Structure formats: structure tokens, C-alpha cells
Amino acid sequence: MKGEVGRIFGETSAFEFEFVVFNPRDVRRGDYVKVWNDVEGWIVAYVTDVIAKSDVSGEDVLKGRNVEAEVYIAKASVIGKRENGVLKAPRTPFVPGEKVFLAEESLVAEVLGMSDDGVYLGLLGDTSIKVKLDVNSLVQKHVCILAKTGGGKSYTAGVIIEELIEKGVPLLIIDPHGEYASLKQPNDVKEEMERMEEFGIRPKGYSNIRVYVPPGSPFVDRADSVIYLDGRNLDAEEIIELGNITSPSAQALLYQVIRELDDYTLEDIMDRVEEIKNSSKSVLLGALTKIQKSGLFSDNPTPIDILLQKGRAVILDMRGVDPAYQDLIVARICGKLFEMRKREEIPPGMIVIEEAHNFIPERGFGKAVSTQILRTIASEGRKFGLGLMVISQRPARVDKNVISQCNTQIILRLTNPNDINAVRKGVEGLTAEMVEDIKRLPPGNAVIVSPELERPVIVRIRVRKSRHGHAVEIFGEKRGGRKKSKSGGKVERKEKKDGGFLKKIFGG
Ligand SMILES: Nc1ncnc2c1ncn2[C@@H]1O[C@H](COP(=O)(O)OP(=O)(O)OP(=O)(O)O)[C@@H](O)[C@H]1O
């Protein structure tokens, strides 16, 4: 047992207490302490704040009187103790005068419900406790990663992707900025390699990765393959968005033609439009020809099942691709994958969506054809073993229902008040202190909220085993600057793991 670091004083309750800190170097915000409770035994608490007090008044300071003996007071929020695998909160207050000790790491890990197995994210606070989350819960019940630009979102997503690849989870990564192909190479950044021992990892590149690009991508030569979609039965909204058809009469003509057709291709629409006498005919034909010439739609489309395969991660690199096309590609692929997963034609897996605010925008922040299917996967995917990893730098602009469907929430530094507000409202169990922490998190540190953990925790995300790919500017398109598409900390029983349909799909 480490030595006594303070003593409880003043008014206490079963949920919180204050203690005088003997040496301010021993106790800091974010530390875990333990206290003896006469009825319950050792109880673990979290230090939410440390303040310094003195009897020196403003007048004293002006007269030049110095602080002789300041007192340090720590505020602690009670977590509890684990009994028969269940976290129990004390029901009697702590006795003023009781000694406070720093809690041993093994006790903290036990009380917080840390698992020895799972997706290894990093180390808890200032400790060397490994934070690992259950792979099935993480994948099937969705995860979101939220942070301001440069806060470490794609780095953290890369860490989780490495872990999921190692566990054989099929992954499809929607990569609007070409940041993920570098997973193929081992990390060779000197400063990061120097920190690998601290995290107990080694550099590693992943070979079971395939990079696909849409036709016309400026990066075709660096891709493993080109993706082609089945262009049958595109609906009018999709064609309007792809062709940027703004003329109401051309839109009306399109709706009219599609109503008349049954099972149709783009060419069938064009043939029918040719036959009709209408002043908007040439505008519509021009737009349809442009879509046809994009080459995205083919009679010999890429089989969708190869995008979600056991032991493989597929990256859809959409750098330099028109946002309307990105949106449609995501909508079509995710729609097909969801249908196939429902029929169990593909294995359970996860779809990673970078720049999620562009594909699942909150109402009032634009429209995207991919929104509907992604909402459906967020609400129903868990029943069928299809998970989402939602990544965004603008939480306030992502559909709030989708964020609240994510059972694991990883929040790195945020500073925009609207984004902080969105997180405060959408993330259950965040305390006011945690919200303050989020505004000040250093890069690579995250607040993690998960049903696997008894309370939100701050984690130092581990360094990457593979190389982190930085976003690249394409044709003056700024990072994240995609044009708008038109178109209580309360102690509770640990949540019972889902039985029934949510059986363990991935080992480990
Ligand atoms: N856990 C970490 N360990 C070490 N370095 C990290 C960590 N997380 C982030 N970084 C550093 O911070 C930088 C920014 O991280 P990242 O590229 O993930 O930010 P981002 O939030 O995705 O930004 P953007 O919105 O611009 O894409 C990285 O290049 C990396 O150097």
C-alpha cells in the first residue's frame, strides 16, 4: 500500500468528499485514491479537482504579506468497490478524519471493470493500466470518435482499426482524404517509436488491406483496384445530385421518365428522354451524359461482398472525388452491404465513416443521399452484426440520433461551444468536470465513455503500430472543407452484456 496522502475533512456523503492534501506533488486531478469505509471496506474515488487555499486577503497581498502556509484541498467523486463482479457504491458517508491513500493500479483496474482482453486503446490517465474494450460490443454497438481538427481523430481511428484487423474483423473504411492506406507500412516516426515500449507494442504494417478508388480518381495508379457500381435503378434524387440538375423543369422531366420505367439503366432513361418533346430535354440529357461519362456505373459492377471480407480491411480512397459522387457511392455500398448482412451473405463487420458530418448531417446542416441508410444501420445494424465507426470534427453537425446510438464514445479535444454542447447533450454519463477536461485535452488524450467501463475515463491513446497517414490537400480542397451537399458519473451496476442475438461474433 502506498503511503497516506491526505485526510478527509468537513461535510462528507457516500458520493463525494474533500480531503486535505499533505503534499501537493502527491495528489493531482485525475488521480485515483482509496479510503476505508467502516461498513464497506476499501472504496475507490476519483480526484476531480485540487485547489489551494490560504488566509491571505487581497489587502495582505497589496501590503506585501506572503503566503506562509497554503492548504491544498482535493475534491473526490466516489466510484465504489467491486463485489462478486459488480460495482457497489457505499451507502454510508465517509468519516471525517479518515486517511486517504493513492489507490493501487490493480485495485483501480478491478473497480473500473478493466478487461485483460479486447481492443487495446491506450493507458488510463497517468497510470500504466491498459484500457481494453470488448471487441463485440465495440463493433456491434457502434463507436464514434469526435475531436476538433488536429485533435487526433484519424490517429485514434487508426489505433482501433489496427486492433480490429488483428482480430480479423472485416472492415470497410470510407476515406475521403486518403489517410488510411499508410496502415500497410510500419510506423517509423522516431518519437513515436520511442514511446512504443511504454505502451508495450512494436511497429507493424498490415498486408491484408486493399485500396479501392472510384474511376477517374487522380490516385488510380496507387490503388489496388477501381470500384464500379451497378447503375440500375438510380432514383431521381440521386441523379439530380450527381448531375447537379438545378432546373425545376429538367427535374420534373426526370421524375416523369423514371415513373414510366420499371427496371432501368441510365441509358434507358436517356433513350426515353430522347423520345419526349420537352424544352428541358437537352439540359437533362447533358447531365445524364456527364454521369454516364464518369465511368462509375458499369454493366460489370464490382461485387459488393468483396468489400466486407473476413481478415481483410478495404479502404475506399475518395480523395479528389466530387462530393456528390462520394455521397452516392457511400449510400449505394452501405445499402447493399446492409441488405447482404441481413441475409447473412457477408460476415459481420464494421464500416468506418470519416468526415461523418458530410454523410449523416444533422438536420439543418445539409442533405446527403447516404443519410437514410446510415441512420438505419446506426439503429438496426447491431441486430445484424454490422457496426459503424463514426468520425467527425463537427459533432454538432452530425445527426444526433446517430451519435447517441454509438455505445462507445471517444472524445478528444473540442473547443467549439456548439460541438461541446452537442457532446454534453448526446453523451450519457459525462460529468461537468469531464466536459471541462475535454476543452483542455492534450493531443492523443481522450475521454472514453463505454458500457464496458463503470465511468468515463481519460485515456492516453497508444501510439500507432503502423504509419499514420496525414490528410493531403487536393486541388485546393481544404482538409474537411468539402462543399456542402445539396441535396452521472453515478455509480451503477455494470450493464449486462447483450445476450440473445448479440452473441459473441469475434473472438477475443
Ligand atoms: N495517440 C497519439 N500519439 C501520438 N501522436 C498523436 C496521437 N494522436 C494524435 N497524434 C498526433 O497529432 C496529429 C494530429 O492527429 P490526427 O491527424 O489524427 O488529427 P485529426 O483530428 O484527424 O485532424 P484532422 O481533422 O486535421 O484530420 C498526428 O499527426 C499525430 O502526430
Side-chain angles (χ1 to χ4, degrees):
M1 191 195 302
K2 293 182 190 168
E4 183 186 348
V5 292
R7 282 236 181 132
I8 295 181
F9 75 99
E11 205 175 281
T12 69
S13 78
F15 298 115
E16 54 191 15
F17 58 84
E18 292 184 348
F19 62 99
V20 175
V21 174
F22 298 152
N23 184 340
R25 281 196 214 109
D26 289 343
V27 180
R28 289 170 302 168
R29 278 184 74 212
D31 280 345
Y32 292 88
V33 293
K34 66 174 186 178
V35 185
W36 183 258
N37 177 292
D38 277 346
V39 180
E40 310 281 358
W42 288 111
I43 298 290
V44 172
Y46 178 77
V47 178
T48 56
D49 209 355
V50 183
I51 56 167
K53 268 188 181 173
S54 82
D55 62 352
V56 178
S57 68
E59 212 168 299
D60 291 335
V61 172
L62 290 175
K63 284 182 185 157
R65 190 186 148 207
N66 283 327
V67 175
E68 272 139 33
E70 71 274 31
V71 178
Y72 288 85
I73 294 166
K75 296 183 182 185
S77 163
V78 174
I79 302 173
K81 69 162 187 178
R82 194 160 287 272
E83 201 175 82
N84 303 324
V86 173
L87 185 74
K88 275 185 72 181
R91 284 178 295 159
T92 53
F94 296 89
V95 179
E98 199 60 77
K99 295 171 182 170
V100 179
F101 301 86
L102 289 179
E104 304 87 337
E105 291 195 348
S106 55
L107 179 66
V108 176
E110 182 194 327
V111 167
L112 289 174
M114 296 291 174
S115 158
D116 293 337
D117 210 8
V119 174
Y120 172 33
L121 295 176
L123 301 175
L124 177 75
D126 288 336
T127 74
S128 57
I129 301 171
K130 287 185 174 173
V131 178
K132 296 184 178 185
L133 299 180
D134 179 75
V135 60
N136 288 282
S137 170
L138 191 92
V139 172
Q140 295 181 62
K141 299 197 214 157
H142 317 306
V143 50
C144 66
I145 304 177
L146 309 170
K148 69 179 290 184
T149 297
K153 291 178 303 296
S154 47
Y155 196 100
T156 305
V159 167
I160 300 177
I161 290 168
E162 288 172 358
E163 294 280 324
L164 296 179
I165 293 175
E166 287 179 22
K167 293 187 177 342
V169 177
L171 293 169
L172 170 64
I173 303 164
I174 308 294
D175 183 6
H177 298 292
E179 291 171 276
Y180 291 93
S182 62
L183 279 155
K184 288 182 177 183
Q185 276 106 40
N187 191 347
D188 57 359
V189 177
K190 193 168 162 279
E191 304 80 62
E192 292 179 29
M193 288 174 75
E194 281 168 5
R195 295 183 60 211
M196 286 189 179
E197 203 180 316
E198 174 192 350
F199 291 100
I201 58 160
R202 305 169 83 121
K204 182 173 177 176
Y206 297 84
S207 56
N208 43 352
I209 288 181
R210 292 283 168 278
V211 180
Y212 283 75
V213 291
S217 157
F219 301 97
V220 169
D221 54 332
R222 287 186 231 162
D224 294 309
S225 214
V226 176
I227 190 160
Y228 298 99
L229 298 187
D230 181 354
R232 269 176 306 152
N233 304 327
L234 285 170
D235 63 37
E237 284 80 14
E238 290 172 330
I239 294 173
I240 287 169
E241 185 175 348
L242 288 181
N244 193 16
I245 304 169
T246 50
S247 146
S249 53
Q251 290 184 3
L253 178 58
L254 177 65
Y255 276 105
Q256 179 200 323
V257 169
I258 285 184
R259 259 198 311 272
E260 289 170 13
L261 296 169
D262 200 11
D263 186 21
Y264 56 88
T265 61
L266 270 179
E267 289 72 28
D268 294 333
I269 301 175
M270 290 164 87
D271 290 347
R272 183 71 193 105
V273 173
E274 289 279 14
E275 293 163 13
I276 298 173
K277 265 197 171 169
N278 187 301
S279 58
S280 297
K281 185 169 148 171
S282 59
V283 174
L284 183 55
L285 281 172
L288 290 166
T289 307
K290 209 179 112 204
I291 297 171
Q292 196 186 34
K293 281 195 175 152
S294 73
L296 178 63
F297 302 105
S298 160
D299 296 339
N300 192 13
T302 309
I304 296 294
D305 60 342
I306 64 164
L307 300 179
L308 210 58
Q309 279 195 352
K310 271 212 172 83
R312 180 183 277 190
V314 170
I315 296 170
L316 203 51
D317 182 341
M318 299 215 271
R319 273 179 295 176
V321 175
D322 181 315
Y325 281 78
Q326 292 191 26
D327 184 16
L328 182 100
I329 292 169
V330 170
R332 289 245 139 183
I333 289 177
C334 292
K336 287 254 162 56
L337 287 176
F338 186 53
E339 287 310 316
M340 294 178 94
R341 182 59 214 138
K342 282 208 277 194
R343 296 194 296 268
E344 303 210 351
E345 290 168 7
I346 50 168
M350 184 170 231
I351 302 173
V352 179
I353 313 263
E354 264 279 4
E355 305 286 344
H357 47 278
N358 290 327
F359 301 103
I360 353 167
E362 173 64 339
R363 284 183 182 84
F365 287 104
K367 264 165 88 185
V369 292
S370 46
T371 305
Q372 194 47 48
I373 182 63
L374 293 175
R375 272 198 200 135
T376 305
I377 297 175
S379 60
E380 291 178 35
R382 64 186 67 195
K383 285 192 278 184
F384 303 104
L386 188 61
L388 285 180
M389 187 190 298
V390 172
I391 307 166
S392 176
Q393 71 257 28
R394 292 309 317 270
R397 297 190 174 190
V398 183
D399 188 319
K400 59 178 178 307
N401 295 317
V402 172
I403 291 196
S404 58
Q405 292 283 350
C406 297
N407 268 27
T408 303
Q409 288 150 330
I410 301 179
I411 306 144
L412 297 113
R413 187 159 186 236
L414 284 171
T415 48
N416 180 296
N418 294 328
D419 292 330
I420 292 167
N421 224 2
V423 164
R424 190 185 281 131
K425 284 189 193 148
V427 179
E428 239 174 84
L430 268 191
T431 60
E433 289 90 11
M434 285 282 180
V435 172
E436 286 307 307
D437 283 331
I438 287 168
K439 296 179 196 168
R440 298 173 180 85
L441 286 168
N445 281 246
V447 167
I448 300 187
V449 184
S450 158
E452 302 297 305
L453 302 168
E454 294 295 350
R455 53 172 286 136
V457 292
I458 296 182
V459 174
R460 272 147 49 219
I461 302 293
R462 72 161 171 79
V463 288
R464 290 269 303 263
K465 295 181 187 176
S466 61
R467 193 183 291 168
H468 173 52
H470 296 267
V472 186
E473 269 199 21
I474 306 289
F475 311 139
E477 177 196 331
K478 272 230 178 95
R479 183 75 177 81
R482 179 180 184 270
K483 91 171 190 242
K484 244 194 215 163
S485 167
K486 278 184 287 105
S487 35
K490 244 187 170 177
V491 180
E492 290 175 338
R493 262 183 82 104
K494 190 167 163 59
E495 184 185 285
K496 203 167 163 277
K497 296 216 174 107
D498 282 40
F501 198 91
L502 283 181
K503 54 191 179 286
K504 287 212 169 216
I505 293 174
F506 309 106

